[in-house]
């Protein structure tokens, strides 16, 4: 453990949590009041309220921030974990390059598509042509998503990484098991049935606003390639969420 960690009020998990909370709360206070993250203003010192209205506003804003930390800090922990695994993937992208990562995705998905296409013409194997088309479509989406995620991560700033790299990376991760389940009956109970139950829950508990669930139920059926489309749609808001919590983790622990 570093000397800085000891000086900031303890070691181990407790010291790290205390430091994180202080940074988050200081950033929150500086949205309204100046010089609240004391170490950044060591010459002038931390600003303190002087009048009664200032003290009331200061205490109220501080209390509101503490309540918000009950939600934000668990998200920060999630962001730290996401950043760790994203760094592992980015390290792979750095070693292989964008062309290498895209080439591997294209090779893997292309071989899968060719294999299922060839099997569909074999008399002893009954594979619907729609299943082959589903694999081919998912292969194209996954390959393009891999390329876009790698490109956005390398050349984009933080905003572009959150907006594009994370959602496309989620798409590339979600599609393989879904497509495998579409063409492998033994995986249906593991992937497709839970996906169906999840879709029902979302329709009943999230998309009930404005009758969106009724429109989707009346115009679409969750079968075949629709599973791949569903998870592609989920990957974007989930990717944005993970990108935001990772940005929050970077705010709290920018040096790691």
């Amino acid at each position: 453990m570093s000397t800085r960690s000891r000086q900031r009020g303890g070691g181990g998990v407790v010291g790290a949590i205390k430091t994180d909370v202080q940074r988050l709360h200081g950033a929150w206070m500086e949205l309204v009041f100046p010089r609240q993250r004391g170490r950044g203003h060591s010459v002038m010192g931390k600003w303190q309220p002087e009048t009664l209205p200032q003290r009331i506003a200061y205490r109220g804003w501080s209390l509101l921030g503490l309540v918000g930390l009950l939600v934000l800090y668990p998200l920060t922990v999630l962001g730290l974990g996401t950043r760790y695994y994203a760094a592992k993937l980015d390290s792979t992208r750095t070693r292989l390059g964008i062309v290498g990562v895209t080439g591997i995705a294209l090779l893997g998905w292309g071989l899968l598509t060719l294999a299922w296409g060839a099997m569909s013409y074999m008399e002893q194997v009954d594979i619907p042509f729609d299943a082959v088309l589903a694999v081919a479509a998912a292969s194209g989406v996954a390959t393009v998503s891999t390329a876009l995620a790698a490109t956005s991560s390398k050349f984009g700033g933080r905003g572009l990484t959150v907006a594009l790299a994370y959602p496309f990376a989620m798409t590339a991760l979600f599609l393989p098991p879904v497509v495998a389940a579409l063409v492998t009956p033994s995986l249906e109970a593991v992937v497709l049935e839970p996906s169906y139950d999840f879709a029902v829950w979302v329709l009943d508990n999230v998309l009930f606003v404005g009758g969106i669930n009724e429109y989707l139920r009346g115009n679409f059926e969750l079968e075949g390639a629709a599973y791949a489309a569903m998870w592609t749609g989920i990957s974007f808001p989930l990717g944005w969420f993970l990108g935001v919590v990772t940005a929050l983790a970077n705010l709290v622990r920018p040096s790691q």
Side-chain angles (χ1 to χ4, degrees):
M1 184 181 304
S2 66
T3 302
R4 175 178 290 185
S5 297
R6 295 191 190 98
Q7 292 175 345
R8 287 185 180 181
V13 175
V14 175
I17 292 176
K18 182 178 180 181
T19 300
D20 291 345
V21 170
Q22 287 174 342
R23 285 175 177 170
L24 281 172
H25 192 259
W28 168 259
M29 295 301 293
E30 282 195 342
L31 292 176
V32 175
F33 302 97
R35 304 196 315 272
Q36 292 301 297
R37 286 177 286 186
R39 294 182 64 86
H41 307 282
S42 57
V43 177
M44 300 181 66
K46 182 179 180 180
W47 181 87
Q48 297 290 339
E50 297 177 356
T51 65
L52 179 60
Q54 286 180 345
R55 285 194 291 270
I56 293 174
Y58 188 88
R59 297 300 181 188
W61 189 252
S62 177
L63 180 60
L64 185 60
L66 290 174
V67 173
L69 281 176
L70 296 175
V71 176
L72 281 180
Y73 190 71
L75 294 179
T76 301
V77 175
L78 176 61
L80 291 171
T82 303
R83 184 174 66 179
Y84 173 80
Y85 289 105
K88 294 293 185 182
L89 293 174
D90 191 61
S91 177
T92 301
R93 190 268 306 162
T94 300
R95 290 195 300 269
L96 298 177
I98 295 175
V99 174
V101 171
T102 305
I104 291 175
L106 180 61
L107 177 63
W109 283 100
L111 290 175
L112 178 63
T113 304
L114 290 175
W116 281 98
M119 292 174 64
S120 68
Y121 287 100
M122 297 173 61
E123 295 182 358
Q124 64 270 31
V125 181
D126 183 18
I127 297 179
F129 184 67
D130 290 345
V132 179
L133 290 179
V135 173
S139 299
V141 173
T143 302
V144 172
S145 296
T146 301
L148 290 175
T151 303
S152 301
S153 177
K154 181 176 181 178
F155 296 107
R158 181 174 297 179
L160 189 62
T161 299
V162 172
L164 296 179
Y166 278 89
F168 283 125
M170 290 295 100
T171 300
L173 290 174
F174 283 157
L175 280 182
V178 174
V179 174
L182 288 175
V183 296
T184 308
S186 61
L187 295 177
E188 182 176 343
V190 179
V191 178
L192 299 187
E193 291 182 7
S195 296
Y196 183 87
D197 294 337
F198 178 70
V200 171
W201 182 87
V202 171
L203 289 173
D204 292 339
N205 297 277
V206 179
L207 299 181
F208 63 89
V209 179
I212 298 177
N213 55 353
E214 295 179 359
Y215 172 80
L216 292 176
R217 283 192 169 108
N219 292 274
F220 301 96
E221 293 185 4
L222 188 57
E223 59 182 17
Y227 281 101
M230 182 188 83
W231 282 107
T232 299
I234 291 174
S235 67
F236 275 80
L238 180 60
W240 291 326
F241 171 74
L242 292 177
V244 169
V245 297
T246 302
L248 180 62
N250 290 332
L251 174 65
V252 176
R253 296 188 187 179
S255 61
Q256 294 185 356

